[in-house]
Amino acid sequence: MTDITKPATAVNIEAKLALFAEQWAPHRIAGINDYDVKIAKVQGEFVWHTHEATDELFLVVSGLLTIQLRDGDVVLGPGEIYVVPKGVEHCPRAEEETAILMLEPAGTVNTGSAGGPRTREPVPLD
Amino acid sequence: MTDITKPATAVNIEAKLALFAEQWAPHRIAGINDYDVKIAKVQGEFVWHTHEATDELFLVVSGLLTIQLRDGDVVLGPGEIYVVPKGVEHCPRAEEETAILMLEPAGTVNTGSAGGPRTREPVPLD
């Protein structure tokens, strides 16, 4: 939910990215209705997982993100978007550190139905 | 809705922007659940309007967007986000041509409750 009591100011994605270093840790920078806008720094390979109840949007801010799907890979550079359909197993991977923006309903778990040690609650930066 | 029968390829925002010239005409480039991801080129002043049922997310791709609110202006440069809360009257304005990305539920009308001659259905580019 948008907090209408907050002053109306722009959210600068690069400035928010400068606030943290931990990789694969989603940070929430904005909300629209019941969706979260999150950013993360990623490098290496994540875990194969599925979101059974929702699509998941990825937008690359810097670097190069490979979204591995069981049918093949999607490679995203800066300014490129891919929406993983709900129920489709995927595993993000990045050679160099890559900054990404994600959009999905609040409460969506980063590791989806896989769970495990890489599960992280989003850190609020909004 | 995401069409899972489509091949898995990235959506390049700049490439989609190159496909049209008309200003203030929303073009849909992706969908996530029942939300549309739209892009537009804007210059000059739009109309004051309100979305009574939904927040509306703006992300500037290039240029400079001023979102006029009755309480003051929010100015967004490239890589900056602002979410107009539902029910809050606003009027976008840009001196130079500015490319923006918008996110909102499918069916949200660009002129909101104001309606009028600047109302446009989103053009599908996805």
Side-chain angles (χ1 to χ4, degrees):
Chain A
M1 284 294 189
T2 303
D3 181 351
I4 62 169
T5 64
K6 287 189 182 177
T9 54
V11 175
N12 185 290
I13 296 172
E14 290 292 348
K16 294 293 187 186
L17 283 165
L19 296 178
F20 65 93
E22 188 190 359
Q23 294 182 334
W24 299 108
H27 288 67
R28 184 191 138 109
I29 61 167
I32 166 171
N33 300 325
D34 55 348
Y35 280 63
D36 281 350
V37 179
K38 295 178 282 193
I39 54 174
K41 294 173 176 176
V42 303
Q43 188 171 22
E45 189 172 68
F46 199 53
V47 290
W48 282 94
H49 67 284
T50 304
H51 303 289
E52 297 295 352
T54 181
D55 300 342
E56 181 173 46
L57 182 147
F58 291 88
L59 166 64
V60 168
V61 177
S62 64
L64 203 63
L65 180 73
T66 299
I67 301 176
Q68 302 173 90
L69 306 169
R70 293 302 186 187
D71 290 340
D73 293 349
V74 184
V75 180
L76 307 182
E80 293 190 325
I81 287 173
Y82 182 68
V83 178
V84 178
K86 70 176 175 182
V88 170
E89 198 178 17
H90 59 285
C91 179
R93 177 168 56 80
E95 295 287 318
E96 57 177 310
E97 184 171 87
T98 293
I100 62 174
L101 180 148
M102 289 160 291
L103 176 84
E104 55 204 347
T108 303
V109 176
N110 65 329
T111 52
S113 50
R118 305 190 72 171
T119 302
R120 292 281 185 290
E121 287 286 321
V123 178
L125 290 183
D126 55 337
Chain B
M1 282 300 187
T2 302
D3 180 353
I4 62 169
T5 66
K6 287 189 182 178
T9 53
V11 175
N12 185 290
I13 297 172
E14 290 291 349
K16 294 293 189 186
L17 284 165
L19 297 177
F20 65 94
E22 188 190 0
Q23 295 182 335
W24 299 107
H27 287 67
R28 183 191 138 108
I29 61 167
I32 167 170
N33 300 324
D34 55 348
Y35 280 63
D36 281 350
V37 179
K38 295 178 283 191
I39 54 174
K41 294 173 175 175
V42 303
Q43 188 171 21
E45 189 172 69
F46 199 52
V47 289
W48 282 94
H49 66 283
T50 304
H51 303 288
E52 296 295 352
T54 182
D55 300 342
E56 181 172 47
L57 183 147
F58 291 88
L59 166 64
V60 168
V61 177
S62 64
L64 203 63
L65 180 73
T66 299
I67 301 176
Q68 302 173 89
L69 307 168
R70 293 302 187 189
D71 290 341
D73 294 348
V74 184
V75 179
L76 307 183
E80 293 191 323
I81 287 171
Y82 182 69
V83 178
V84 178
K86 72 175 173 182
V88 170
E89 197 179 17
H90 59 285
C91 179
R93 176 168 57 79
E95 295 287 319
E96 56 177 310
E97 184 170 88
T98 292
I100 62 175
L101 180 149
M102 288 159 292
L103 175 83
E104 54 204 347
T108 302
V109 176
N110 65 330
T111 52
S113 49
R118 304 190 74 172
T119 302
R120 292 282 185 291
E121 286 287 321
V123 178
L125 291 183
D126 56 337

